[in-house]
Amino acid sequence: MANINVKLKIWRQKNEKDAGKFDVYDLKGVSTDSSFLEMMDVLNEQIIQGGGEPVAFDHDCREGICGACSMFINGRAHGPDTAVTTCQLHMRSFSDGETITVEPWRSSGFPVIKDLMVDRAAFDQILQEGGFVSINTGGVPDANAIPIPKDDADASFDAATCIGCGACVATCKNGSAMLFVSAKVSQLALLPQGRVEASRRAKAMVAKMDELGFGSCTNTGACEVECPKEISIANIARLNREFLGANIKS
Amino acid sequence: MVLDAKIPKGPLAEKWSKYKASQNLVNPANKRKLDIIVVGTGLAGASAAASFGELGFNVKAFCYQDSPRRAHSIAAQGGINAAKNYPNDGDTVYRLFYDTIKGGDYRSREANVYRLAEVSNSIIDQCVAQGVPFAREYGGLLDNRSFGGALVSRTFYARGQTGQQLLLGAYGALNRQIKAGKVKMYTRSEMMDVVLVDGRARGIVTRNMVTGAVESHFGHAVVLATGGYGNVFFLSTNAMGSNVSAAWKAYKRGALFANPCYVQIHPTCIPVHGEFQSKLTLMSESLRNDGRIWVPKKKEDAAAIREGRLKGSEIKEDDRDYYLERRYPAFGNLVPRDVASRAAKERCDAGFGVGKTGLAVFLDFKDSINRLGEDAIRARYGNLFQMYEKITDHNPYKTPMMIYPAIHYTMGGIWVDYELQTTIKGLFAAGEANFSDHGANRLGASALMQGLADGYFVLPYTIQNYLADQINVPRIPTDHPAFKQAEEDVKAFINRLKSVNGKQSVDHFHKILGHYVWDFIGMARDKQGLESVIGKIRALKAEFWKDVRIPGEVKGLNTELEKANRVADFFELAELMAHDALEREESCGGHFRTEFQTPEGEAKRDDANFMYVAAWEYKGDNQTPQVHKEPLNYEYIEVKARNYK
């Protein structure tokens, strides 16, 4: 463990309409064992003690699973480490004296609410179009009634680990939500339970994604690199297949 | 006040079927006339809201997160229990029921727990049908594993992310009802009060966390599925936003709060590293299936490890004390959480702890890796090992993990009867927010089971029994004086917080409170400490109301204001926990009074005098609350000393 001093260049924006700007803060004696968000806590404590308003940012579980945290750090979604969310990023990834630039997700699909906090309701809206299996509570078959090949179940699981953080959108130069959409489409399409509605689901979710202003996918693969859950762009290929199939049928 | 749990008559195994056969139902046309409010969208809330919507009720669901998918159920790692007996290893509904009652140290209701075990199988069916990708065998069928404290393999799991997958399943069901127009979802909304009209819960007041607007919402019934209160400790495995406020407002409006001193300290968390730490991370107790817990036998070795002169991996086999295997040969490393936690504390307090602070023990996978190979261990726990390495910078494949107990779950909560109704008519509580099923200690993989049982399979029935005679109650407009008064109270409370205008941040007070609660109402409690901490908490609360600083505006997004609102309630809850712990002069489950222990240091219950639920009634600010006792009668289980030796 060591302590480092850092200079923080942080995006401050009062509300959606405000133009916003970078403010610069010096923070001394940051433990390298701290997580990035713990460092932000210390900064906020310093700001409050100085009579200012703390930096607003989304965070909740702080163990990499809820998907709330969403910072663009030194030009990368969730910062320099791979396969982690911002809350799992630790200060040992930074060096003494470093300037760290922190911005919110920037995408027309995710308007800024305040400072580093953005509105990701669009993700919920996309899933409301079909990101589920249309069954009611009760009256379902026994859990072991339908055997599922382990490889399919595992592939479905890999897609299902999406935490809906939005790093893929924030990273994509087109602001595309294809990795997010494809993860849900794949998870369900790979299982017999979800196969029944696979075409309908793909069409409805893609239509909603387009309507909400997310951009198109041009296969740069940037989303896959920044995804904290390492969701593969193979899912996008599967989505395209489902989508194409659905449109041929209709 | 006489607490009537409304347990149906008849043999244990028939109670739930008989209840369902004779309860009142609401016909489909009338369901459309009824509104239900659900606060919280974790496993219990999301599953309840979705199920109500499917039945045809109009639902308004609320969460403080930006999306229902982020509720903290998502962080549950290990698994969910069910009495499917797929592995043919002798499980039955009765055995799951028995294990849960015993695990809860005979402080929960037989009828509730039996129902929980009974519906457990339907939960698994439901989740699989939703597309939850549980772990499977090569034959295509579901895989099971054994989990803390169970002799059978009844735990279904989805790698180390079971809670995530179950929640996303419930969230999908909820999304489907939102799309269908049966559920209206309010995100970034904090419940500030529950509104009573003529003694019945008829709605809530919320604060819109983006605009700051204080708003009223009517419902013919209100369900609180708002989780537990572990964050009273400041450092816990809960999400940063997890709070007691919704439950607390209900308590202040007349709902009784049961067994607040029953909190679960989870044995396998990553140890505290420093004063700026904001939360603790759990390592799933499934790790105890393959990891062996130990500390050095010699104090000088422990000291050398603490000072960095020696590594755990360098300690010879003969110099290691596998203290759980030594003390509890039958269950070994798989003893229930309360037992494992206390044993770790005992070793560390005696000077055998490792890590820089001495507050850590080893969880070692060396033998399992030698037996099964690194790949097998990676397949089982890969994501957990990775998480551990990211946080600590140590590779657990090479060097033993270090763990220490941390607050994880709260068994206490709002008192509810068999129908999950609180002492306020029309107000229900589900999931971790209620007190009902885990007694004094919760077994692993039971929280997910209870949350989903309440939401999918209990409330959709019992709430109809309440609503059946409410079909002619018109929707009460939110300009009704009861709503207006509640709104004014909320605004006054917010303004009072904001106008303190002191010098210290909310976290400053919360951290001090957390230390008090950990030191005096934590893993070991005694009369003197509990009596003294009540005064300390009151003084700290008074200081908070004199010196807290909340920057920014009341209007608009204000994260410090949100925290202050929650911490204000945590002070009061902490005091109630102390009263409860003081009143319960015995040790049971997660409640360990040092005055009441066996010569071997095990918890010593006093069934003759304390076999009851302690349900507390609010009596006003800084007033001693009043306890009401619901006796626990065990008709089907022989009450014994819990023995894991």
Side-chain angles (χ1 to χ4, degrees):
Chain A
M1 191 185 90
N3 286 339
I4 57 172
N5 301 329
V6 291
K7 191 182 280 294
L8 293 155
K9 213 175 134 193
I10 295 182
W11 185 258
R12 303 301 307 259
Q13 184 173 337
K14 283 195 175 69
N15 51 47
E16 191 184 343
K17 302 209 172 68
D18 181 34
K21 63 178 173 49
F22 281 107
D23 276 355
V24 180
Y25 305 89
D26 281 308
L27 196 61
K28 298 204 182 326
V30 179
S31 160
T32 51
D33 276 345
S34 292
S35 71
F36 196 83
L37 297 187
E38 285 165 353
M39 180 279 293
M40 291 295 294
D41 292 340
V42 176
L43 171 71
N44 275 342
E45 185 70 33
Q46 180 178 308
I47 293 175
I48 293 169
Q49 289 301 330
E53 255 195 74
V55 181
F57 57 91
D58 267 319
H59 65 107
D60 206 19
C61 78
R62 295 206 179 188
E63 50 189 273
I65 196 76
C66 76
C69 61
S70 46
M71 293 182 192
F72 220 69
I73 302 162
N74 285 346
R76 290 188 63 183
H78 296 302
D81 206 349
T82 52
V84 294
T85 54
T86 300
C87 66
Q88 294 173 297
L89 176 66
H90 279 69
M91 292 308 291
R92 65 181 78 96
S93 296
F94 300 90
S95 47
D96 192 31
E98 189 170 343
T99 298
I100 307 172
T101 307
V102 191
E103 297 169 82
W105 285 170
R106 294 194 190 280
S107 165
S108 56
F110 297 154
V112 171
I113 294 173
K114 185 175 182 178
D115 298 336
L116 305 173
M117 205 180 259
V118 300
D119 182 357
R120 286 168 287 188
F123 269 12
D124 289 329
Q125 290 172 42
I126 292 171
L127 291 181
Q128 284 157 17
E129 291 301 308
F132 43 76
V133 176
S134 298
I135 50 145
N136 286 350
T137 303
V140 298
D142 183 86
N144 260 349
I146 308 173
I148 300 173
K150 187 176 186 323
D151 291 342
D152 290 353
D154 287 349
S156 170
F157 188 93
D158 288 339
T161 55
C162 170
I163 56 174
C165 66
C168 48
V169 174
T171 297
C172 178
K173 67 186 173 74
N174 307 320
S176 170
M178 283 290 272
L179 192 65
F180 170 77
V181 172
S182 71
K184 185 51 75 179
V185 165
S186 289
Q187 176 206 337
L188 296 175
L190 283 161
L191 300 172
Q193 291 86 353
R195 193 62 240 166
V196 181
E197 304 168 88
S199 298
R200 195 167 68 110
R201 177 180 305 117
K203 266 178 81 172
M205 287 175 64
V206 167
K208 193 69 179 178
M209 171 182 77
D210 291 345
E211 178 198 320
L212 292 171
F214 290 98
S216 302
C217 173
T218 50
N219 286 313
T220 65
C223 52
E224 175 185 72
V225 176
E226 294 298 355
C227 174
K229 298 297 156 187
E230 300 183 297
I231 289 173
S232 160
I233 51 169
N235 291 301
I236 296 183
R238 191 174 292 109
L239 167 62
N240 286 332
R241 213 157 50 234
E242 294 292 343
F243 184 73
L244 210 62
N247 282 297
I248 290 168
K249 270 186 257 167
S250 64
Chain B
M1 189 184 301
V2 178
L3 290 171
D4 179 8
K6 292 195 256 170
I7 311 279
K9 302 231 176 327
L12 184 64
E14 293 168 25
K15 285 180 193 293
W16 182 231
S17 335
K18 284 199 166 162
Y19 175 88
K20 288 192 288 184
S22 57
Q23 70 161 113
N24 295 312
L25 294 173
V26 181
N27 93 38
N30 284 330
K31 287 190 182 112
R32 286 195 293 273
K33 292 194 223 158
L34 295 169
D35 301 350
I36 304 175
I37 283 175
V38 179
V39 188
T41 57
L43 286 180
S47 59
S51 301
F52 295 154
E54 291 162 7
L55 288 170
F57 294 106
N58 304 297
V59 183
K60 289 180 180 179
F62 297 81
C63 68
Y64 74 76
Q65 297 89 348
D66 69 325
S67 164
R69 69 178 296 149
R70 306 205 200 283
H72 199 53
S73 305
I74 201 141
Q77 296 168 355
I80 176 165
N81 284 333
K84 283 282 194 187
N85 193 32
Y86 285 157
N88 194 33
D89 58 356
D91 203 8
T92 61
V93 167
Y94 183 86
R95 189 176 285 276
L96 174 54
F97 153 73
Y98 176 82
D99 286 352
T100 307
I101 292 265
K102 177 189 173 194
D105 219 354
Y106 305 94
R107 290 292 176 268
S108 46
R109 270 188 213 138
E110 277 187 336
N112 282 57
V113 177
Y114 194 88
R115 175 179 64 190
L116 175 67
E118 201 178 341
V119 303
S120 66
N121 292 341
S122 304
I123 297 171
I124 303 304
D125 298 340
Q126 184 66 29
C127 296
V128 167
Q130 287 171 343
V132 169
F134 281 120
R136 287 179 184 269
E137 307 270 17
Y138 277 104
L141 302 184
L142 294 160
D143 189 21
N144 290 109
R145 63 183 173 196
S146 113
F147 209 75
L151 295 177
V152 292
S153 293
R154 62 161 71 103
T155 304
F156 295 78
Y157 66 102
R159 290 185 204 158
Q161 288 142 272
T162 316
Q164 178 195 30
Q165 294 309 317
L166 297 179
L167 182 64
L168 294 181
Y171 163 72
L174 180 64
N175 277 338
R176 178 166 163 254
Q177 293 308 306
I178 294 171
K179 173 69 183 170
K182 292 309 292 180
V183 177
K184 173 122 177 71
M185 187 68 225
Y186 297 82
T187 59
R188 295 197 196 265
S189 290
E190 186 111 66
M191 181 188 128
M192 301 298 292
D193 208 349
V194 56
V195 178
L196 273 58
V197 178
D198 298 330
R200 289 173 190 260
R202 291 298 190 197
I204 59 171
V205 174
T206 58
R207 181 175 179 275
N208 179 319
M209 293 157 72
V210 177
T211 65
V214 172
E215 296 159 350
S216 286
H217 302 273
F218 165 81
H220 288 90
V222 176
V223 176
L224 300 184
T226 48
Y229 48 87
N231 269 345
V232 66
F233 288 80
F234 185 73
L235 284 181
S236 83
T237 66
N238 284 186
M240 301 302 286
S242 299
N243 66 81
V244 77
S245 289
W248 201 251
K249 305 313 193 209
Y251 168 67
K252 288 175 123 173
R253 290 280 180 191
L256 300 195
F257 204 104
N259 301 334
C261 81
Y262 290 163
V263 297
Q264 180 161 80
I265 314 279
H266 195 291
T268 53
C269 299
I270 298 178
V272 176
H273 65 69
E275 59 176 314
F276 296 123
Q277 190 151 354
S278 60
K279 81 153 271 161
L280 297 171
T281 303
L282 174 80
M283 291 279 104
S284 167
E285 74 179 323
S286 61
L287 293 168
R288 290 199 274 148
N289 283 339
D290 288 306
R292 296 178 70 196
I293 294 175
W294 64 278
V295 292
K297 261 185 199 162
K298 298 178 191 158
K299 278 193 185 169
E300 56 269 29
D301 285 349
I305 291 171
R306 289 198 291 271
E307 289 155 20
R309 290 183 282 118
L310 202 58
K311 286 190 189 136
S313 51
E314 291 165 358
I315 304 281
K316 286 199 213 78
E317 204 55 38
D318 285 350
D319 292 331
R320 299 177 173 201
D321 176 14
Y322 295 93
Y323 57 87
L324 288 177
E325 297 169 28
R326 167 170 60 79
R327 285 179 67 176
Y328 308 101
F331 281 70
N333 293 296
L334 294 175
V335 290
R337 293 173 176 177
D338 56 334
V339 178
S341 291
R342 269 199 299 281
K345 176 176 160 55
E346 188 276 329
R347 282 293 80 190
C348 292
D349 288 353
F352 296 94
V354 296
K356 282 185 193 111
T357 59
L359 293 177
V361 300
F362 288 124
L363 175 62
D364 201 334
F365 290 86
K366 177 175 64 93
D367 292 345
S368 298
I369 290 172
N370 288 341
R371 192 176 72 244
L372 304 164
E374 199 172 304
D375 287 345
I377 294 299
R378 182 170 285 110
R380 284 182 198 172
Y381 312 112
N383 67 318
L384 298 172
F385 277 37
Q386 184 218 23
M387 185 157 86
Y388 181 86
E389 189 171 357
K390 290 286 182 195
I391 294 173
T392 63
D393 215 16
H394 295 295
N395 176 352
Y397 295 101
K398 304 285 174 220
T399 151
M401 274 187 184
M402 281 190 283
I403 52 162
Y404 197 67
I407 177 71
H408 173 60
Y409 186 89
T410 54
M411 283 74 69
I414 306 172
W415 185 91
V416 289
D417 60 20
Y418 189 72
E419 298 184 302
L420 306 185
Q421 189 164 207
T422 70
T423 47
I424 296 175
K425 276 186 186 171
L427 181 69
F428 294 77
E432 192 179 350
N434 74 30
F435 88 106
S436 70
D437 295 350
H438 307 297
N441 174 57
R442 181 174 65 73
L443 287 183
S446 287
L448 304 184
M449 173 172 67
Q450 186 225 334
L452 291 180
D454 289 357
Y456 284 134
F457 296 110
V458 179
L459 277 175
Y461 291 87
T462 61
I463 207 162
Q464 292 195 57
N465 199 39
Y466 170 74
L467 289 171
D469 66 357
Q470 301 291 303
I471 50 178
N472 292 321
V473 176
R475 295 188 169 99
I476 299 170
T478 52
D479 57 4
H480 183 282
F483 281 103
K484 285 292 139 202
Q485 184 60 48
E487 281 180 27
E488 288 313 312
D489 291 350
V490 166
K491 285 177 190 162
F493 179 80
I494 291 171
N495 286 332
R496 205 178 131 217
L497 272 175
K498 172 72 185 139
S499 61
V500 174
N501 206 15
K503 291 191 195 65
Q504 300 293 348
S505 68
V506 179
D507 280 357
H508 165 82
F509 293 101
H510 195 175
K511 282 181 188 179
I512 299 174
L513 177 69
H515 281 297
Y516 288 168
V517 182
W518 181 251
D519 290 344
F520 296 99
I521 327 173
M523 269 193 284
R525 301 132 179 215
D526 62 54
K527 185 167 192 281
Q528 195 191 355
L530 289 167
E531 279 171 350
S532 73
V533 81
I534 291 174
K536 286 176 199 284
I537 294 166
R538 285 189 183 177
L540 185 67
K541 180 179 141 187
E543 189 63 22
F544 170 86
W545 282 104
K546 270 198 304 225
D547 200 25
V548 71
R549 168 183 289 176
I550 300 164
E553 305 297 323
V554 166
K555 271 191 185 170
L557 191 131
N558 188 329
T559 49
E560 289 299 305
L561 180 61
E562 292 161 18
K563 285 199 263 183
N565 170 50
R566 295 166 186 166
V567 171
D569 292 332
F570 278 138
F571 290 121
E572 301 180 8
L573 165 76
E575 186 184 324
L576 185 68
M577 288 167 68
H579 285 297
D580 189 41
L582 201 53
E583 196 268 345
R584 189 167 284 282
E585 295 183 323
E586 63 162 352
S587 294
C588 59
H591 169 63
F592 191 74
R593 283 278 298 265
T594 55
E595 306 99 310
F596 308 103
Q597 55 179 311
T598 66
E600 300 86 45
E602 305 295 338
K604 198 168 149 195
R605 287 198 325 260
D606 179 355
D607 292 338
N609 294 303
F610 291 94
M611 201 186 274
Y612 59 76
V613 175
W616 295 86
E617 183 184 356
Y618 182 67
K619 287 287 174 188
D621 197 27
N622 287 339
Q623 302 297 310
T624 303
Q626 186 186 346
V627 67
H628 301 273
K629 297 172 184 176
E630 180 203 336
L632 293 166
N633 302 313
Y634 290 93
E635 294 176 58
Y636 296 89
I637 275 190
E638 185 196 349
V639 177
K640 296 186 211 164
R642 213 156 49 118
N643 181 4
Y644 294 98
K645 285 182 195 281

